[in-house]
Amino acid sequence: MLLEPTPIQYLGKLPGGQDIFMKRDDLLGFSFGGNKCRLAAAFLEDMEEKGKDFMVSYGSPASNLNRTVAGMCKSRGIPCLLIVAGEDGDQELTFNRQMAAAFGAEQVECSKSRVAETVGQVLEELRGRGYDPYYLYGSRYGTGNEAAARKAYQKAYNEIYKWQNESRIKLTHIFHASGTGMTQGGLMAGRRGAGGKEEIVGISVARDRERGEAAVRRYAGDGPEAILFEDEYRCGGYGLYDRDIERVIGEMMDSHGIALDPTYTGKAYAGMEKWLESRGTGRETVLFIHTGGLPLYFDYLNKKRNPAV
């Protein structure tokens, strides 16, 4: 069961003078929380509506989605298989992978260049075993289930909109880590439906602007809105980070006892600060959505203690 709506916490002022709030989706209440809990629940609902009986998910070795889907399937007695795609030879045994294994999910490794091929092979093999599998991204090429994903963060946006009305605090910007485009697309769809006015800014954790905007548009659905997908704070690519991101992680833990990770939330928070420093006026009222990833924080601590790991 997810604990919704998640709280919105005031953190104080940013260096540029902006008031900063944080929506604590890391406290959703299932398997370390995070945006992937909302998404996994939406996919499982869609799976049940379609009468499927075997869940197939895909992600990197650090995937929060794979871990959350595996846990949610275990809790509901649904068989689950995870496709884990890394660069050739890079299949790190993260805490997320270890947790997924503990939940009993099968895992199939492949390189990033063979994802579609591997998805097709897995689905065919499961059908041969007598299952009617559900691939959460839709087709082997990752299209078809956009509407299911969109619903999850349409609902989250409605929580934010209701909070603004009740608190009489009007946000000017909503920031978050943007990867697959699901979270940002759902937020944009929710804003469109509610008539909100905030700027929704996705800080890319990996993709360049062209690919990122295309992904967000797929999940946002039809609409004339501009997509604010910022790719200049990627720090070289997925999972890479620098001292500034580490500084943000340390300060957030020291000041608020909140864990950020270097792959998603720490990178996005640091990017948000830089975005506001260069483009803000100091009068903004900002919401940062903490999209979770606590096991990745533990991976980060483990690497700091044991650099060779």
Side-chain angles (χ1 to χ4, degrees), residues 244-258:
D244 194 50
I245 293 170
E246 291 193 279
R247 172 191 60 79
V248 165
I249 292 171
E251 288 178 356
M252 187 61 65
M253 179 56 70
D254 292 344
S255 299
H256 304 288
I258 297 172

Side-chain angles (χ1 to χ4, degrees), residues 154-165:
Q154 282 180 297
K155 183 176 181 181
Y157 177 84
N158 289 337
E159 293 176 14
I160 296 168
Y161 190 77
K162 181 179 180 182
W163 174 83
Q164 291 185 79
N165 289 333

Side-chain angles (χ1 to χ4, degrees), residues 150 192 217 220-225:
R150 185 181 306 129
R192 186 188 316 130
R217 178 64 66 195
D222 296 331
E225 310 98 327

